[in-house]
Amino acid sequence: MYYTKDTILYLNGKFIKAVDATTDLYSQTLHYGYGAFEGIRSYKTSHGTKIFKAFEHYERLRHSCKSVNIPFDYDSEELTQITYTLLKKNNLSDAYIRPLVYCSPNMSLTTPNEVYLMIAAWQWGKYLGDNLLKLCISSYQRPNPNSLKVDAKVTGHYVNSILATSEAKVRGYDEALMLDMNGNVAEGPGANFFLEKDGVLYTAPAGHILPGITRQTVIGICRELDIKVEEKFFKPEAIEGADSAFMCGTAAEVIGIESVDTKPFRKPWPESLGAIIQEAYKSQVLEKSYSDVII
Ligand code: PMP
């Protein structure tokens, strides 16, 4: 599903066939979840294939590694160029790109001597689909920021996300909405959350969330479109009686929410601020002007 016999990936300075790639089973990443990764998208635009915010994603990869003491000294411009070459070699335009920094064999709980980089790309539909989502409040909280670097995209952190998403699916929902350790609404297992109430959007501030690049893009769109956004803590009770909500992330893009714990929102999605932002986001990644899409 992610590769065929012809797929090429980037591994430690070389482009090789995915089927020929190997790894060491004693890698610290495999045993302890000590690695860092990214999720990036490229789009077929009228100016050719464009990787959306490639530099920002690779800077975050550097930040993730640095914050957990994984040595990683690639330059973000160089990584961007490598990724364009990878896309070309695989004949991909609309793609999801997955860089992964993983560690050398080390069964001790010490920083690694060596790290490796692989970059893969494949075609992937919108991660949470196109339909409005039915969410449930998860019984799993976001990790305590004193235990982990919650703003780093570190492999092991995603056990928390997998538990939350799989619990939601077992309970018959599409996705989970997670609270932080103080009971405030934080984010989804792989996407940030925005709530619309009386013409204002609310989203959790940095601290307990991965403050996404898409979240930042949405905040920028709101500034341009004169939509008021507040980054503040709020309790799940604020969701009841709110007008609408959406999630956003590189893989999910912008996706509307139908209900949380079976309670629907007041506004139909097409009339929500989220629907406007969804179109504006689409136009930004495709490098079109907003007016081509919205009006
Ligand atoms: N929160 C979490 C926990 C995530 O895994 C992601 C996906 N990287 C996001 C938010 C959204 O981040 P971004 O917009 O940078 O993809």
Side-chain angles (χ1 to χ4, degrees), residues 70-135:
I70 292 175
F72 180 68
D73 57 8
Y74 276 84
D75 173 81
S76 295
E77 283 297 350
E78 181 191 352
L79 291 166
T80 302
Q81 287 320 311
I82 291 169
T83 309
Y84 273 110
T85 306
L86 180 74
L87 292 175
K88 205 173 259 173
K89 283 184 184 292
N90 287 290
N91 211 8
L92 285 168
S93 278
D94 285 307
Y96 182 78
I97 299 149
R98 168 54 56 82
L100 169 69
V101 178
Y102 63 102
C103 300
S104 54
N106 179 9
M107 293 298 101
S108 306
L109 303 177
T110 53
T111 54
N113 297 323
E114 224 183 318
V115 303
Y116 310 118
L117 169 67
M118 85 94 163
I119 310 176
W122 62 88
Q123 251 172 342
W124 219 23
K126 290 179 77 171
Y127 176 64
L128 295 169
D130 282 312
N131 298 327
L132 297 182
L133 299 175
K134 296 183 178 76
L135 303 186

Side-chain angles (χ1 to χ4, degrees), residues 4-209:
T4 67
K5 64 178 182 27
D6 299 319
T7 302
I8 302 288
L9 54 73
Y10 176 86
L11 186 64
N12 304 319
K14 292 195 184 111
F15 291 98
I16 62 165
K17 284 203 163 175
V19 288
D20 294 334
T22 58
T23 188
D24 193 314
L25 293 177
Y26 294 79
S27 162
Q28 212 177 9
T29 308
L30 205 50
H31 290 252
Y32 305 132
Y34 185 51
F37 70 105
E38 265 307 316
I40 313 174
R41 269 195 193 275
S42 64
Y43 293 89
K44 186 177 180 176
T45 77
S46 50
H47 315 114
T49 302
K50 290 291 163 80
I51 305 172
F52 189 62
K53 301 206 168 172
F55 188 80
E56 285 88 336
H57 280 280
Y58 282 121
E59 285 294 293
R60 182 169 67 190
L61 185 61
R62 287 166 53 82
H63 163 78
S64 297
C65 289
K66 192 165 180 220
S67 52
V68 295
N69 308 313
I70 292 175
F72 180 68
D73 57 8
Y74 276 84
D75 173 81
S76 295
E77 283 297 350
E78 181 191 352
L79 291 166
T80 302
Q81 287 320 311
I82 291 169
T83 309
Y84 273 110
T85 306
L86 180 74
L87 292 175
K88 205 173 259 173
K89 283 184 184 292
N90 287 290
N91 211 8
L92 285 168
S93 278
D94 285 307
Y96 182 78
I97 299 149
R98 168 54 56 82
L100 169 69
V101 178
Y102 63 102
C103 300
S104 54
N106 179 9
M107 293 298 101
S108 306
L109 303 177
T110 53
T111 54
N113 297 323
E114 224 183 318
V115 303
Y116 310 118
L117 169 67
M118 85 94 163
I119 310 176
W122 62 88
Q123 251 172 342
W124 219 23
K126 290 179 77 171
Y127 176 64
L128 295 169
D130 282 312
N131 298 327
L132 297 182
L133 299 175
K134 296 183 178 76
L135 303 186
C136 63
I137 305 274
S138 184
S139 71
Y140 294 99
Q141 295 177 338
R142 284 283 297 162
N144 183 327
N146 292 324
S147 304
L148 294 166
K149 306 287 185 182
V150 292
D151 70 341
K153 213 164 158 55
V154 169
T155 56
H157 296 183
Y158 283 79
V159 175
N160 174 249
S161 296
I162 291 170
L163 288 170
T165 297
S166 49
E167 179 196 58
K169 290 199 185 282
V170 165
R171 289 173 59 194
Y173 294 93
D174 299 313
E175 184 56 299
L177 179 60
M178 301 174 81
L179 308 183
D180 66 24
M181 57 186 271
N182 301 315
N184 295 307
V185 173
E187 63 176 335
N192 292 113
F193 178 80
F194 283 78
L195 186 71
E196 175 188 351
K197 198 166 194 173
D198 301 327
V200 180
L201 287 176
Y202 298 91
T203 194
H208 298 261
I209 59 166

